[in-house]
Amino acid sequence: MKTGGIDSSRIEAMIAQLKAAATRPQERIAVLPGAQAVKAEAPAAKVNFSDALKGAIDSVNGSVHKSEEMGKKFAMGDDSVALSDVMIAMQKASINFQASIQVRNKLVASYHEIMNMQV
């Protein structure tokens, strides 16, 4: 199903990949046949969900402000800013915002599904 230009099955596939990577056990990896096994990197520190969400929202906000600033500079006649750079920054900000809206929609749908479960 395509929603707002983003295919929801791709979002679900990405979430499944992230879950699989998060639950994968850390194992020893051999570099070459007959080579000494090296231990995989230590698992990353646990990330708080709210911190990760706040960081993602701050990133989207930063890209929007950057595109707005570039647009203002271009409109004021600043020669250091090209129209193509302004348009690319605006498209990146738009895509980041649309992706964050899709994540929000998935979170809300998951919340409603959990709240409707019978205990």
Side-chain angles (χ1 to χ4, degrees):
M1 179 174 94
K2 220 169 180 172
T3 308
I6 297 177
D7 191 3
S8 64
S9 64
R10 294 181 72 195
I11 293 173
E12 290 172 4
M14 190 182 312
I15 291 171
Q17 287 176 351
L18 290 171
K19 286 179 183 177
T23 58
R24 187 177 331 146
Q26 299 296 325
E27 69 253 2
R28 293 184 165 266
I29 302 169
V31 179
L32 293 173
Q36 183 180 11
V38 293
K39 186 173 177 155
E41 283 185 31
K46 297 286 182 184
V47 178
N48 189 356
F49 178 75
S50 62
D51 292 340
L53 187 62
K54 183 178 182 336
I57 291 172
D58 289 343
S59 173
V60 171
N61 190 32
S63 69
V64 169
H65 284 298
K66 178 183 173 189
S67 70
E68 288 175 351
E69 185 66 30
M70 288 179 75
K72 286 179 186 176
K73 284 182 180 179
F74 182 78
M76 294 173 72
D78 189 351
D79 292 336
S80 66
V81 181
L83 176 61
S84 60
D85 294 337
V86 174
M87 296 305 295
I88 290 170
M90 287 182 168
Q91 287 300 313
K92 284 182 180 180
S94 175
I95 289 169
N96 286 339
F97 186 72
Q98 288 176 5
S100 65
I101 294 296
Q102 292 301 319
V103 169
R104 184 215 48 188
N105 291 345
K106 278 289 189 187
L107 288 171
V108 170
S110 299
Y111 173 77
H112 285 300
E113 189 174 326
I114 290 170
M115 292 306 293
N116 290 332
M117 285 183 180
Q118 292 182 356
V119 179

